[in-house]
Amino acid sequence: MLNLKKYLFASALLFGCFDIAIFALDATTTLIKKLDAMTSLEANFEQTTLLSRKTTDTADILRGKIWLVRPGKFKWKITSPDHQLILINGNELIIFDRDLEQLTRRKVNDQQLHNPALLLSSSSQNIARSFKITKVANTMNLDTFSLVPMDKNGSYLWIELAFRSQELHKIRVKNNLEQITTIKFTNVKINGKIRENNFKLVPPPGTDILDER
């Protein structure tokens, strides 16, 4: 009788783990399909950061616009309260701070993938390989996916991507300081034509250029 109980317990444990694995696989497959269906994105964004889970204090609200062509092309333009531009074109990352008149060039690496916005420009294969992906219970008619980095030494504990149908609606991210950042998108345009010149930048005369590649 004891052996039978052990057998039943082991079977339940085995098939329970199997169900979890299938569930995670389904979530990954579903998310990849949504991302692959989104070849380009153009939208306005509003970004807020909750400084502590014990208070409602927030950092400055950032507003701007995003342009994206997958894979490998990304533009993130902050227009309020400061002016900053982040560009990815292939293997090059450019950060331009207009107020400081400074431009920094870097090589794109796996660490950038863990940035909640920049990961959108990565290939689906890189995302599936770099994160454990699960489905979050639907709220407000949103399909939400939780992405936990495989690399535990990164700056983020988890990232959530929320879709309304095929349209990216919101990103939430929790960093190692327990701060939660929410990025909401409006005026979203999916799979429209975005010009190649949109991902190039000629810095103004007098700009201090730092090459960290």
Side-chain angles (χ1 to χ4, degrees), residues 187-198:
N187 299 323
V188 179
K189 299 177 182 177
I190 299 292
N191 299 339
K193 185 174 179 59
I194 300 178
R195 294 181 301 172
E196 174 67 25
N197 286 343
N198 211 39

Side-chain angles (χ1 to χ4, degrees), residues 14-107:
L14 174 62
F15 287 105
C17 293
F18 183 75
D19 288 342
I20 292 172
I22 291 296
F23 184 76
L25 181 61
D26 286 346
T28 300
T29 301
T30 303
L31 176 60
I32 294 306
K33 285 182 178 179
K34 285 184 178 292
L35 291 175
D36 285 345
M38 185 177 67
T39 57
S40 72
L41 169 72
E42 180 178 348
N44 298 328
F45 71 82
E46 180 178 280
Q47 175 179 321
T48 58
T49 299
L50 188 64
L51 297 178
S52 170
R53 63 181 178 179
K54 296 180 181 179
T55 71
T56 57
D57 293 340
T58 61
D60 288 337
I61 298 176
L62 304 182
R63 295 183 176 90
K65 192 163 184 177
I66 177 177
W67 294 263
L68 171 74
V69 175
R70 304 187 67 248
K73 297 183 188 300
F74 174 87
K75 183 175 182 178
W76 183 263
K77 184 178 182 180
I78 299 172
T79 56
S80 174
D82 303 312
H83 295 84
Q84 190 178 64
L85 183 67
I86 300 173
L87 276 176
I88 286 183
N89 196 339
N91 293 321
E92 184 179 47
L93 168 66
I94 294 175
I95 303 173
F96 175 58
D97 193 310
R98 194 183 77 179
D99 299 326
L100 295 178
E101 298 182 322
Q102 185 179 81
L103 183 148
T104 304
R105 299 182 185 273
R106 296 173 182 166
K107 184 177 180 181

Side-chain angles (χ1 to χ4, degrees), residues 167-192:
E167 185 178 290
L168 183 63
H169 178 72
K170 181 172 61 176
I171 297 176
R172 293 178 71 237
V173 56
K174 186 175 185 179
N175 65 19
N176 288 337
L177 299 177
E178 302 285 318
Q179 298 170 338
I180 296 180
T181 296
T182 301
I183 305 170
K184 294 182 179 179
F185 299 100
T186 56
N187 299 323
V188 179
K189 299 177 182 177
I190 299 292
N191 299 339

Side-chain angles (χ1 to χ4, degrees), residues 105-130:
R105 299 182 185 273
R106 296 173 182 166
K107 184 177 180 181
V108 175
N109 57 43
D110 291 340
Q111 289 303 312
Q112 271 91 53
L113 179 64
H114 295 154
N115 182 293
L118 299 187
L119 75 84
L120 294 174
S121 67
S122 182
S123 70
S124 300
Q125 292 78 10
N126 283 343
I127 293 174
R129 184 169 57 246
S130 301

